[in-house]
Amino acid sequence: MRNDLAYLRTPVAIRERAAKVLKFVQDGQSQWFQLDASGLENAVQATLAVARERFPDPAAIPFHSRWRHFEVGGRDRWSALAERLAHLPAEEIARRRIDLAVVSVLLDAGAGPDWSYREPGTGETYARSEGLGVASLHMFANGAFSRDAKGDPLRVDAERLATLTPMDVAMGFQVKAHNPLLGLEGRADLLRKLGGVGLERPGALFDIVADNAKGDGEVKAESILAAVLDRLSPIWPSPRGDVWEHPVVGLVPFHKLSQWMSYSLVEPIEGAGLKVVALDALTGLPEYRNGGLLVDAGALRPKQRVLLQKSFAPGDEAIVEWRALTVALLDEIAGHVRLHLGMDAQHLPLVKVLEAGTWFAGRRLAADRRPGGGPPITVESDGTVF
């Protein structure tokens, strides 16, 4: 069995190991989960219901990316900032958008149920991923990540990131005793490490990807992920990154945050005139909304009540299985959703199914079942995995 780092960083490896976990569970060997076909159909129907509600025209479904959170409340916050950059060439605007996307995604681990962000100017309050997105965008707009906060605020510079403190993040995210944010130290540490990976700025990823584009300007989505994993891997607590040990299957890679980042770089890259292709090479995101959908819909049935009662570490067998099953079953859900909507993978790639709805369906079911809408299974967050 291949366990070399180059292989474990590929979407092929993620899917192959997820399929092995799925087979392990299908064979009845898991002590944690059993599969239920009717529950999987429930997950499909929940996804379709959300998709049809949010997007009456399925052709209008956008990518699942950080940019959607910048649009929460019907406000296109990036466009307002972009007006201040209109004098720059398209490539530099792409770098600035990637600057923002990278730091925002790294700040996007689970916020916890007790944190929220009150947006300056609008007075609107947002929590969880939307709140984290809006808060990070305002930090960016105010020059919190720039080496020249007053003269050139709308950029992210390594030399500034290297000095970022948890207090800087706490102030930007309005953290107080009554407004606690999970993983504050972990988030600040990730950004400091980002400042030390050898890139003058995160936006330099644009040049790396553009240099690998084909003559016709096409960029494979997998090459975006490869660039992210190659250049940003030093920031992760483990040298392998988001790769975990399963006692039977062996090493199981996910690279959830790196894939979320890769999806979030598509729009900046295409905004500079390149074309991102083969989006379905990347996988579904194994995080608690997508995984929660499968548990709450009954597709994954816990074999032990303790699974729903205690808190688990990311490397625990139960969590590795839950995340791997999420990757495998999201592909199945996507296939069913396309059939129901009469669309093919080219017009409705997995990244759009995630946006249409698996993520929102998971959130809706969670809100129906638990006060505060938390996940059905609790994972200890340090700000680097979920």
Side-chain angles (χ1 to χ4, degrees):
M1 181 183 294
R2 286 188 65 184
N3 283 325
D4 58 284
L5 193 56
Y7 167 73
L8 291 172
R9 284 180 174 176
T10 64
V12 168
I14 298 171
R15 281 195 168 92
E16 285 182 352
R17 297 295 164 87
K20 288 181 183 295
V21 173
L22 179 63
K23 179 71 163 53
F24 175 77
V25 176
Q26 287 172 329
D27 290 346
Q29 297 182 59
S30 171
Q31 64 173 314
W32 299 107
F33 295 101
Q34 63 183 18
L35 299 172
D36 186 316
S38 64
L40 186 62
E41 180 59 24
N42 291 342
V44 171
Q45 293 302 323
T47 300
L48 282 167
V50 170
R52 287 169 171 149
E53 176 186 319
R54 298 181 68 233
F55 303 103
D57 176 9
I61 298 171
F63 296 138
H64 186 60
S65 81
R66 196 53 162 161
W67 300 95
R68 304 291 80 74
H69 295 148
F70 298 149
E71 299 163 356
V72 65
R75 301 179 186 278
D76 187 351
R77 294 168 180 81
W78 170 253
S79 289
L81 294 182
E83 292 177 4
R84 294 158 55 182
L85 302 174
H87 62 288
L88 297 174
E91 292 82 1
E92 177 59 20
I93 293 173
R95 294 183 192 101
R96 305 257 177 154
R97 293 184 74 185
I98 290 174
D99 279 346
L100 169 60
V102 169
V103 294
S104 186
V105 166
L106 291 179
L107 290 165
D108 192 34
D114 302 318
W115 177 83
S116 63
Y117 179 79
R118 185 177 177 86
E119 185 176 19
T122 69
E124 295 169 351
T125 299
Y126 300 103
R128 299 192 182 275
S129 287
E130 289 88 348
L132 294 168
V134 172
S136 60
L137 181 137
H138 278 277
M139 287 186 72
F140 175 82
N142 292 331
F145 309 116
S146 172
R147 64 189 176 197
D148 183 7
K150 292 185 177 180
D152 192 9
L154 302 182
R155 58 181 292 135
V156 177
D157 293 292
E159 62 191 80
R160 169 62 185 127
L161 292 178
T163 66
L164 206 72
T165 67
M167 182 58 69
D168 292 326
V169 178
M171 290 181 63
F173 281 70
Q174 301 173 353
V175 175
K176 295 185 172 68
H178 65 275
N179 192 36
L181 177 68
L182 292 181
L184 184 61
E185 294 278 350
R187 293 169 208 271
D189 189 49
L190 275 181
L191 293 188
R192 281 197 304 274
K193 288 180 176 177
L194 176 63
V197 299
L199 296 177
E200 185 177 335
R201 57 192 290 200
L205 287 169
F206 171 77
D207 300 280
I208 294 168
V209 170
D211 286 347
N212 291 325
K214 293 175 15 180
D216 56 5
E218 286 192 349
V219 173
K220 288 187 176 180
E222 190 170 354
S223 72
I224 300 174
L225 176 62
V228 167
L229 288 172
D230 178 54
R231 300 311 300 261
L232 304 189
S233 60
I235 72 177
W236 303 117
S238 161
R240 288 195 299 246
D242 191 7
V243 180
W244 307 89
E245 182 88 35
H246 186 276
V248 174
V249 174
L251 293 176
V252 182
F254 298 112
H255 306 303
K256 177 259 169 180
L257 212 56
S258 295
Q259 291 201 85
W260 174 231
M261 184 181 294
S262 299
Y263 283 136
S264 299
L265 300 191
V266 171
E267 287 155 274
I269 289 168
E270 292 197 330
L274 300 175
K275 175 63 178 174
V276 178
V277 299
L279 275 164
D280 265 3
L282 303 186
T283 78
L285 302 178
E287 43 78 42
Y288 70 79
R289 288 303 181 205
N290 291 322
L293 166 66
L294 297 170
V295 175
D296 286 335
L300 298 179
R301 297 199 176 274
K303 287 186 171 182
Q304 301 184 45
R305 285 204 59 79
V306 69
L307 193 57
L308 307 177
Q309 295 170 337
K310 64 168 279 192
S311 181
F312 292 84
D316 287 346
E317 180 182 351
I319 303 308
V320 175
E321 287 188 11
W322 184 33
R323 298 182 75 200
L325 292 165
T326 300
V327 170
L329 295 178
L330 282 172
D331 279 339
E332 293 193 23
I333 288 174
H336 286 289
V337 167
R338 291 183 192 115
L339 283 175
H340 282 283
L341 295 179
M343 302 179 76
D344 58 20
Q346 180 180 349
H347 294 93
L348 192 66
L350 178 58
V351 65
K352 292 190 174 185
V353 175
L354 299 178
E355 180 62 24
T358 57
W359 193 89
F360 283 92
R363 171 182 275 185
R364 180 167 293 179
L365 292 185
D368 290 344
R369 284 159 174 73
R370 288 170 297 279
I377 300 170
T378 302
V379 182
E380 300 160 7
S381 173
D382 67 352
T384 64
V385 177
F386 284 81

